[in-house]
Amino acid sequence: MLNDPRSHGLWEMTAPPAPDTVAFSGKAEADVVIVGGGYTGFSAALHLAERGTRVILLEGAEVGYGGSGRNVGLVNAGMWVMPDELPGVLGDLYGSRLLDVLGNAPRLVFDLVEKHGIDCEINPAGTLHCAVGQSGLDELKQRAEQWARRGAPVRLLDAAETATKVGTGAYAGALLDMRAGTIQPLAYARGLARAAIAAGAQVFTGSPVTGAERNGTRWTVKTPRGDVTADWVIVATNAYTASPWNVVRTELVHLPYFNFATVPLSAEMQAKILPERQGAWDTKEVLSSFRFDKRGRLVFGSVGALRGAGLGIHKAWARRSLKKLFPDIGDVAFEAEWYGKIGMTADNLPRFHRLAENVVGFSGYNGRGIAPGTVFGRTLAELVSGRIAEADLPLPVTDPQAQSFRSVREGYYELGAQIAHFASARF
Ligand SMILES: Cc1cc2nc3c(=O)[nH]c(=O)nc-3n(C[C@H](O)[C@H](O)[C@H](O)COP(=O)(O)OP(=O)(O)OC[C@H]3O[C@@H](n4cnc5c(N)ncnc54)[C@H](O)[C@@H]3O)c2cc1C
């Protein structure tokens, strides 16, 4: 995308084409203007257009340019925060609403894919959160117990069953979550965009919003070649924010995350590793994730940016780690490599902001934005069309709080990942 093979890697090589779009020019009126073309923006556009609302979506680069086109494709249920801790952080009302909404969020993704016939390698086979050592297993035991108490279809696997399901004896156990699954992320973003356009939304790419003005009760948002005037503005720019609402960016610390995709593995290795095709990640602080694509390529990722010294360090680490986890895999070649930035909030929870009168948005998905972005996009559509009130949202209205020492912490994450991956060669 934008001639950068390390931005969207395998997903760009294998996704169906994006719908035809052009840059916005001239002047236009709408009921709602959406800024940002990822899951949040397209889900909002789709759900608004389906009810006959006049909606214009302005994307600064291309469909799925941000996190939505680069991620691992794990359609997770819930957040990093333990279910029992949420009421303590958000209060009982919002805590239980958020658990409910996010626990069921993968269902909305799977339903939309089916309803709109989106070709995105969907596989609702569940996910495996793999325990590294006893401390990892203790954490997963708590998660399993807390979700099971709420009726979620989760199961803690022992080491032997984990070894069969993952294809390695490296883990002390795993949490199997049958609400979850995997998708081809860019294909999903493009499919949502196509569905939104088919429902009547107007989508423009190469159209960065550079300013916004309040004119009476309406907003005029500016792009390099024209203006859109609307009653409501939805800001759906998350970690890739470059906009008049830059406060959304200052609240997030960017955590870099990369992926390597192997060439399609042999039939024997495909039968051994993740034979049921769950998506997997582990409990380490500098975590690793792995999953297959439809052609049998193993997508293997971790924290870090593929630039400068990081490129060689992370690639060497990925080769070593794959062999350590799956000794029979051999010297497998990589077919693609790419990375992106994850927007982390201070407490690992997403945010709802009213950035100004009739300017609203969700952000801060902490690396878990496929299902939340889709469900919160629908929620934004319901809010701006008056079908729900702010008081009914799954999160309270908060003001963006800039995180201190952001660039220092971002540098620390990037360098820290290099050190962790470099050091793993020696121990
Ligand atoms: C490497 C990586 C791995 C991840 N893995 C997972 C995973 O496995 N599972 C999961 O659930 N989540 C994962 N995530 C997180 C997930 O991808 C994001 O949370 C999600 O894509 C956010 O969607 P969004 O629509 O809110 O924002 P984005 O997809 O980031 O879209 C924002 C868009 O806004 C546009 N934009 C910004 N400013 C402007 C402007 N001024 N005018 C117009 N457009 C603008 C950008 O160009 C961008 O396209 C991962 C993220 C990354 C980067």
Side-chain angles (χ1 to χ4, degrees):
M1 207 165 313
L2 302 185
N3 292 324
D4 179 358
R6 290 209 181 97
S7 63
H8 296 72
L10 176 67
W11 306 138
E12 189 164 19
M13 285 163 53
T14 62
D20 287 335
T21 49
V22 294
F24 181 78
S25 64
K27 290 200 182 304
E29 302 251 335
D31 300 317
V32 183
V33 61
I34 298 172
V35 186
Y39 307 135
T40 308
F42 285 121
S43 172
L46 169 62
H47 288 99
L48 282 166
E50 277 181 332
R51 294 196 153 239
T53 306
R54 293 177 310 154
V55 53
I56 292 179
L57 185 147
L58 301 168
E59 159 56 42
E62 295 183 28
V63 170
Y65 177 75
S68 299
R70 315 168 183 242
N71 62 65
V72 182
L74 303 173
V75 187
N76 292 306
M79 292 261 118
W80 295 107
V81 179
M82 288 277 187
D84 280 2
E85 282 170 24
L86 269 183
V89 183
L90 289 173
D92 284 343
L93 179 67
Y94 286 109
S96 60
R97 270 189 202 165
L98 191 65
L99 276 173
D100 221 39
V101 166
L102 296 187
N104 293 319
R107 190 68 267 149
L108 177 64
V109 175
F110 302 146
D111 288 349
L112 286 177
V113 167
E114 195 184 336
K115 177 174 174 193
H116 298 283
I118 298 175
D119 176 10
C120 63
E121 304 185 14
I122 190 96
N123 189 358
T127 50
L128 289 162
H129 192 177
C130 301
V132 177
Q134 188 58 45
S135 61
L137 190 59
D138 291 344
E139 179 202 322
L140 295 185
K141 266 185 195 153
Q142 286 183 45
R143 270 188 200 282
E145 189 275 313
Q146 293 178 18
W147 275 122
R149 211 182 327 118
R150 291 171 168 84
V154 298
R155 191 160 66 82
L156 189 70
L157 313 184
D158 64 16
E161 196 178 355
T162 302
T164 311
K165 284 216 180 334
V166 183
T168 173
Y171 300 115
L175 179 63
L176 172 65
D177 189 335
M178 289 310 296
R179 298 169 295 181
T182 58
I183 52 164
Q184 207 280 27
L186 180 60
Y188 176 54
R190 288 178 173 176
L192 270 185
R194 206 173 275 285
I197 293 168
Q202 294 185 67
V203 172
F204 297 94
T205 49
S207 305
V209 170
T210 53
E213 257 173 26
R214 186 88 163 137
N215 295 313
T217 59
R218 312 197 80 202
W219 282 95
T220 298
V221 301
K222 298 181 178 312
T223 72
R225 291 202 268 155
D227 304 343
V228 178
T229 299
D231 299 323
W232 283 86
V233 183
I234 288 178
V235 178
T237 53
N238 201 31
Y240 281 79
T241 297
S243 81
W245 297 280
N246 208 34
V247 284
V248 172
R249 160 68 180 107
T250 61
E251 185 170 49
L252 304 174
V253 171
H254 283 170
L255 177 78
Y257 200 93
F258 64 80
N259 280 290
F260 290 94
T262 68
V263 294
L265 298 185
S266 66
E268 193 192 341
M269 288 313 295
Q270 286 191 45
K272 202 165 176 181
I273 302 172
L274 296 171
E276 296 166 10
R277 295 294 181 268
Q278 288 92 358
W281 75 101
D282 68 27
T283 56
K284 279 193 191 157
E285 194 163 354
V286 180
L287 78 163
S288 310
S289 54
F290 47 100
R291 54 156 294 184
F292 275 103
D293 83 338
K294 191 171 76 179
R295 287 279 322 279
R297 300 175 182 96
L298 191 61
V299 176
F300 192 66
S302 183
V303 179
L306 299 184
R307 61 183 171 199
L311 180 54
I313 291 173
H314 299 312
K315 195 182 271 187
W317 167 87
R319 289 224 163 85
R320 279 194 315 275
S321 303
L322 275 175
K323 275 199 191 170
K324 230 186 209 167
L325 276 174
F326 312 110
D328 301 339
I329 202 166
D331 285 316
V332 68
F334 293 136
E335 217 173 308
E337 55 196 38
W338 69 101
Y339 72 107
K341 47 197 185 192
I342 292 176
M344 306 293 291
T345 55
D347 59 5
N348 291 334
L349 287 174
R351 302 281 190 269
F352 169 76
H353 296 311
R354 189 190 323 114
L355 297 158
E357 187 69 25
N358 283 17
V359 180
V360 288
F362 282 96
S363 52
Y365 301 146
N366 293 275
R368 294 200 151 199
I370 300 173
T374 308
V375 87
F376 288 148
R378 184 181 65 180
T379 305
L380 288 166
E382 289 166 345
L383 178 72
V384 304
S385 54
R387 279 178 294 126
I388 57 170
E390 247 174 33
D392 303 324
L393 293 177
L395 283 167
V397 186
T398 49
D399 289 328
Q401 301 279 332
Q403 290 200 57
S404 43
F405 306 114
R406 220 176 55 242
S407 48
V408 177
R409 290 162 68 189
E410 289 172 355
Y412 171 79
Y413 282 147
E414 187 165 343
L415 188 64
Q418 287 178 22
I419 293 168
H421 287 159
F422 183 72
S424 77
R426 322 182 96 232
F427 301 106

